[in-house]
Amino acid sequence: MPIGLYRAIETHKARDFIDAVNALNDKLGKTNVQILHALSIPSRVLVFSVFDSLADFESHSEELFSAGLPEIARNHDIKLTDQAFITSEASNDPERTLLGKHSYVVLTGGVVKIGKMADVIACGSRVIEKTGPERLSQGIGSQLLRALSGNNWNSVALRVALPSIEATEEFMMSKPMERTDIADDVKEWMSNMTSIRRGVFKVKRKFGSLSES
């Protein structure tokens, strides 16, 4: 099963940093990397990577290190604010038909109450099962992510990938508690969280074929 890596970065040189990291990944032919830039916090950048295994991650890391990634980090005064290995617990697009086709991402998640992770995964999975086919037909991907490491190990996030700014706004303005088919699942999901937050991001690097990196 593939393993993901999530990194949250703060830098007052965000645009230049994104350009530099994109150029480095282009040079190395990396298609397993996605870069997100926060709409409301210009200094915030998220980088997602997908690997076949931890050994594959180490190989990629050594390659990026040798190619100059540490120098890029120093030149742009980056601060790593959060990071974690992650895994996907549920998806409405397991065949990855929408891979690389979205332009915005909304992440909703936080820390789960101790002992409630299984319940939160079950609730989130039911929501994706009920809303997933409709969203998929609209070009919207839904994925439930769970942390495997990091400062907040006991955390999850619902990742919704959207094709346009209009679709993103419509999703943000929707009221899930008004949908009778998922209202109870959403209520249970939220009641089992100790904290919850939402971020809206523009995709600055799209995933390509994950089998080519």
Side-chain angles (χ1 to χ4, degrees), residues 51-195:
F51 307 95
D52 291 332
S53 63
L54 283 178
D56 185 37
F57 158 73
E58 287 192 328
S59 176
H60 278 256
S61 294
E62 287 296 326
E63 188 177 5
L64 288 165
F65 183 90
S66 299
L69 185 58
E71 183 178 358
I72 291 175
R74 288 192 298 269
N75 290 343
H76 293 85
D77 302 321
I78 74 161
K79 180 181 179 182
L80 186 63
T81 59
D82 194 15
Q83 63 178 330
F85 285 109
I86 56 177
T87 189
S88 175
E89 293 289 350
S91 172
N92 75 329
D93 186 23
E95 301 301 320
R96 298 172 178 166
T97 62
L98 298 179
L99 191 67
K101 296 182 180 180
H102 53 273
S103 298
Y104 294 85
V105 170
V106 176
L107 289 169
T108 308
V111 180
V112 179
K113 293 178 181 178
I114 299 298
K116 293 296 183 178
M117 180 61 76
D119 294 334
V120 168
I121 291 174
C123 294
S125 298
R126 287 196 297 269
V127 169
I128 288 177
E129 182 180 359
K130 294 173 183 177
T131 63
E134 176 186 352
R135 287 180 177 171
L136 187 63
S137 69
Q138 298 168 346
I140 299 173
S142 298
Q143 194 174 25
L144 185 65
L145 303 175
R146 175 173 62 88
L148 300 174
S149 66
N151 296 333
N152 294 315
W153 176 33
N154 207 50
S155 63
V156 298
L158 177 65
R159 177 183 180 275
V160 179
L162 301 119
S164 66
I165 190 67
E166 293 80 13
T168 303
E169 182 175 348
E170 182 178 352
F171 172 75
M172 290 174 60
M173 298 298 290
S174 65
K175 299 177 181 179
M177 297 302 289
E178 293 182 355
R179 286 193 54 160
T180 57
D181 57 334
I182 62 170
D184 289 343
D185 296 319
V186 173
K187 183 178 180 180
E188 183 179 353
W189 189 79
M190 296 182 68
S191 68
N192 284 321
M193 306 289 288
T194 63
S195 66

Side-chain angles (χ1 to χ4, degrees), residues 35-52:
I35 300 177
L36 308 179
H37 193 190
L39 290 188
S40 61
I41 308 176
S43 62
R44 182 166 298 169
V45 178
L46 302 187
V47 181
F48 286 86
S49 306
V50 180
F51 307 95
D52 291 332

